[in-house]
Amino acid sequence: MIRDREHECMGREKLRQLQGERLAALVKRVYARVPFYTELLDKAGVKPEQVRGLEDLPRLPVTKKHNLRDQYPFGLFATPLKDVVRIHASSGTTGKPTTVGYTRNDIAVWAEVMARALAGAGTTDEDIVQVAYGYGLFTGGLGAHYGAELLGASVIPISGSNTQRQLMLMQDFGTTVLCCTPSFALYLWDVAQQLQLDVTTLPLKVGVFGAEPWSEGMRRDIERKWNIKACDIYGLSEIIGPGVSCECVEAQSGLHIYEDHFLAEIIDLETGNPLPDGELGELVITTLTKEAFPLIRYRTGDITRLIPEPCICGRTSTRMERISGRTDDMLIIRGVNVFPSQVESVLLMSPQVEPHYRLIVGRKGALDSLDVQVEISPKLYREVSEAVLSLNDVTMFTEHDALIDLKQRIQKNIKDIIGISVSVTFKEPGSIERSEGKAQRVIDNRTAEQGAS
Ligand code: DLL
């Protein structure tokens, strides 16, 4: 369902006009209110009154993550704290978190874009929405919650974890829409298997999954296991939280950006120059309507491309392709750039392995090494176990022809498709740690090993 036809199906020229007006007003606002931006714009030689429309966007300086950290906690707020009704923060892998604030109006906008996202994914006021994103400083839980409530759906605010209880409520309350990370959806399914619960008999129809990269192969796997449609939702706390863009259930092909609020560009990773539609690069977003925490040309660190063609669902909005990775997740293995999601895509071409994997990066002598650890399917595990038991020699497990063939095939696929030689190690079903939030898939031992040598 299209919630806001006026904005989601707006003519492109009219939209450009609206975005241009909002951009001009935003630049004036931040120049007058945020000393960081006064200085940044002065340094770039941009006078706010010179910014009249979208054509002036490339002249504006970019904002980076470290600017947010440097201004911790409230240095980038454009309204007095008195007008801020909510504060969220990202966990931050090192040191202090980054803080973001919302006015009452910002919360209303957030609820609105989340309602559009959920509606696009097929949610209506008849639905029962289980919000299994974490509630708290993380934006996932509260973002989905407010959007679903605005839509008029019945919300189950269970937050993350509580795996068994999640499954119990799904059965007892008849959950029809599940919001969580894709890795948690897989974990929930695993636990349902242990409990011998056939999830395909549940009324669940849609999953709205995001907050971490996932591949098309993982989508298919989740859809098959749960017998649902799985839609990808994107967002980041710096911009608003979840609800920057979301796939429609009709096409499931690219995430519709809510462009009346978020202005998206793609830039070249190296030069920082804007790239034409369709080219892969870093997503940069300008918040067009945010009051408390507006950002100009924020470098998200997320890699994608923009799809300008209209969608079969009727929306005219630009779509973004699913995120292929983050600039800071990119592994450089013997000079080749690799994203974990690329490895995931190749792995999932083989139905004998499961979407539970870990990438162990190390260094052998002067060379980088990548060990891809992946769980084999319970079916293959059973077959090989039975075969080696009949030989009375369990040490033969990893030597079994089926596993050797599979390993060689996956190693060859990774070499052919991604261009790097890796070793593949098979793991027992259930042995790789499951995630209740964002999955941690890479263990990079290179710095530790370098330090030790
Ligand atoms: O993860 C907001 C969110 C919550 C989005 C729930 C979707 C659903 P942060 O914790 O600030 O906010 O992390 C933002 O997560 O820059 C991406 O790198 C990554 N990310 C978010 N959604 C996706 C997605 C939330 N659909 C960071 N695909 C972003 C890939 C995603 N990566």
Side-chain angles (χ1 to χ4, degrees), residues 98 114 122 141 168 199 203 228 235 247 272 319 324 352 387 414 423 449:
T98 47
M114 268 311 295
M168 184 185 83
V199 296
I228 57 171
E247 282 178 336
R319 283 168 288 159
S324 39
Q352 300 91 335
I414 293 179
S423 58
E449 283 167 17

Side-chain angles (χ1 to χ4, degrees), residues 32 60 179 301:
L60 297 176
C179 300

Side-chain angles (χ1 to χ4, degrees), residues 121-136:
T123 315
T124 70
D125 57 3
E126 308 271 334
D127 278 303
I128 300 178
V129 179
Q130 186 155 332
V131 179
Y133 287 116
Y135 281 62

Side-chain angles (χ1 to χ4, degrees), residues 133 138 140 211-213 232-237 302 323 326 438:
Y133 287 116
F138 176 57
E212 63 183 8
D232 191 3
I233 183 165
Y234 169 79
L236 60 168
S237 8
D302 293 319
I323 300 287
R326 287 189 53 77
K438 299 186 190 228

Side-chain angles (χ1 to χ4, degrees), residues 149-395:
E149 269 192 10
L150 183 63
L151 212 53
S154 314
V155 181
I156 309 174
I158 183 165
S159 191
S161 311
N162 289 310
T163 321
Q164 295 208 11
R165 185 184 296 177
Q166 301 264 3
L167 291 166
M168 184 185 83
L169 296 192
M170 269 185 187
Q171 287 171 280
D172 296 350
F173 294 179
T175 303
T176 52
V177 178
L178 174 65
C179 300
C180 64
T181 58
S183 50
F184 190 52
L186 284 172
Y187 181 32
L188 277 175
W189 185 84
D190 277 355
V191 176
Q193 302 316 293
Q194 287 156 21
L195 300 173
Q196 297 187 333
L197 165 66
D198 177 6
V199 296
T200 60
T201 60
L202 296 174
L204 195 69
K205 58 173 193 182
V206 174
V208 187
F209 303 134
E212 63 183 8
W214 52 312
S215 64
E216 195 55 38
M218 187 176 294
R219 187 219 300 274
R220 277 197 298 272
D221 189 65
I222 295 176
E223 290 193 333
R224 184 180 50 79
K225 284 176 167 160
W226 282 96
N227 190 27
I228 57 171
K229 288 270 189 190
C231 291
D232 191 3
I233 183 165
Y234 169 79
L236 60 168
S237 8
E238 296 94 309
I239 296 302
I240 202 157
V244 170
S245 61
C246 187
E247 282 178 336
C248 61
V249 70
E250 293 88 345
Q252 291 181 294
S253 169
L255 295 84
H256 291 275
I257 303 171
Y258 306 116
E259 292 176 283
D260 45 329
H261 297 290
F262 312 114
L263 177 57
E265 310 166 72
I266 299 290
I267 62 166
D268 184 285
L269 294 185
E270 305 289 314
T271 64
N273 292 332
L275 291 174
D277 285 344
E279 289 202 21
L280 196 68
E282 180 176 348
L283 177 66
V284 171
I285 303 179
T286 300
T287 63
L288 292 173
T289 51
K290 284 271 287 302
E291 293 177 342
F293 194 79
L295 287 177
I296 291 186
R297 300 193 79 204
Y298 181 64
R299 289 188 68 153
T300 62
D302 293 319
I303 312 239
T304 182
R305 64 179 100 233
L306 296 181
I307 311 167
E309 290 79 26
C311 180
I312 52 162
C313 69
R315 290 177 182 80
T316 52
S317 43
T318 304
R319 283 168 288 159
M320 52 184 256
E321 197 177 76
R322 63 167 1 104
I323 300 287
S324 39
R326 287 189 53 77
T327 47
D328 41 15
D329 270 359
M330 189 175 76
L331 297 168
I332 305 181
I333 306 291
R334 295 188 292 273
V336 181
N337 299 351
V338 188
F339 288 108
S341 58
Q342 286 176 289
V343 178
E344 178 182 305
S345 298
V346 179
L347 286 176
L348 296 186
M349 287 162 54
S350 305
Q352 300 91 335
V353 298
E354 292 289 301
H356 301 294
Y357 65 97
R358 212 161 40 195
L359 307 183
I360 316 286
V361 190
R363 182 156 285 160
K364 291 199 179 111
L367 288 182
D368 301 322
S369 63
L370 179 59
D371 185 37
V372 178
Q373 303 187 338
V374 62
E375 286 181 15
I376 55 172
S377 68
K379 180 166 172 283
L380 179 60
Y381 183 77
R382 253 191 330 270
E383 286 166 5
V384 177
S385 302
E386 279 162 18
V388 294
L389 276 176
S390 70
L391 292 175
N392 242 342
D393 185 0
V394 282
T395 58

Side-chain angles (χ1 to χ4, degrees), residues 64-185:
K64 296 184 180 158
K65 180 88 175 174
H66 76 83
N67 300 133
L68 272 61
R69 268 192 227 114
D70 295 347
Q71 299 294 325
Y72 177 84
F74 304 138
L76 284 179
F77 283 19
T79 49
L81 269 185
K82 184 176 73 61
D83 297 333
V84 170
V85 298
R86 177 98 64 79
I87 294 167
H88 281 278
S90 75
S91 51
T93 41
T94 48
K96 298 273 193 210
T98 47
T99 328
V100 297
Y102 304 73
T103 61
R104 199 172 295 286
N105 198 39
D106 292 333
I107 295 283
V109 168
W110 189 14
E112 171 56 34
V113 287
M114 268 311 295
R116 286 187 201 172
L118 290 166
T123 315
T124 70
D125 57 3
E126 308 271 334
D127 278 303
I128 300 178
V129 179
Q130 186 155 332
V131 179
Y133 287 116
Y135 281 62
L137 288 177
F138 176 57
T139 50
L142 284 161
H145 182 110
Y146 275 57
E149 269 192 10
L150 183 63
L151 212 53
S154 314
V155 181
I156 309 174
I158 183 165
S159 191
S161 311
N162 289 310
T163 321
Q164 295 208 11
R165 185 184 296 177
Q166 301 264 3
L167 291 166
M168 184 185 83
L169 296 192
M170 269 185 187
Q171 287 171 280
D172 296 350
F173 294 179
T175 303
T176 52
V177 178
L178 174 65
C179 300
C180 64
T181 58
S183 50
F184 190 52

